[in-house]
Amino acid sequence: MDADAISDLFSGLGPVSIRRMFGGKGIYFDGVIIAVELRGELMLKGDAVVAPDYEAAGGRRWTYVHSRHGKTVAMPYWSLPDGAADSADEMTPWARKAYEAGRRAGK
């Protein structure tokens, strides 16, 4: 997604800023990271509070196998829940949850 498409998708939350990171993009609202885009996939910030909501809506947690020790590492980001990418109206409640998770994380 380009910056305009990301801004449009998150417009119901408010103006977001986009920074390059990890070979992708970090998406911030009010100085708090709320999402990342990596390898063409948009993922929302999550934590134990919002994880059940993401899972119930079809989201999955971002995990990868660490190259050094071979163990699976779970990151605090979730794939978009079903329908969230369809419009800003659909994304807004999920973006708010991601913002609150980011605030709880203190980042």
Side-chain angles (χ1 to χ4, degrees):
M1 292 182 109
D2 66 17
D4 288 337
I6 291 169
S7 293
D8 287 347
L9 190 58
F10 286 94
S11 65
L13 183 62
V16 295
S17 61
I18 301 165
R19 302 179 198 158
R20 299 205 56 57
M21 65 183 312
F22 309 128
K25 298 174 183 115
I27 298 136
Y28 295 79
F29 174 70
D30 196 27
V32 175
I33 190 162
I34 59 170
V36 294
E37 185 199 38
L38 296 171
R39 295 177 294 281
E41 183 175 7
L42 189 59
M43 294 173 274
L44 296 172
K45 179 78 172 178
D47 62 9
V49 174
V50 74
D53 295 338
Y54 287 157
E55 287 177 341
R60 68 187 187 303
R61 191 163 188 184
W62 172 26
T63 62
Y64 69 94
V65 176
H66 195 282
S67 61
R68 217 172 326 142
H69 53 66
K71 295 180 182 175
T72 299
V73 177
M75 300 298 290
Y77 294 93
W78 295 76
S79 64
L80 294 183
D82 295 338
D86 293 345
S87 70
D89 289 340
E90 293 292 327
M91 176 61 86
T92 299
W94 298 109
R96 284 190 184 116
K97 289 175 185 284
Y99 174 64
E100 291 303 321
R103 287 186 49 154
R104 286 189 292 271
K107 298 178 184 173

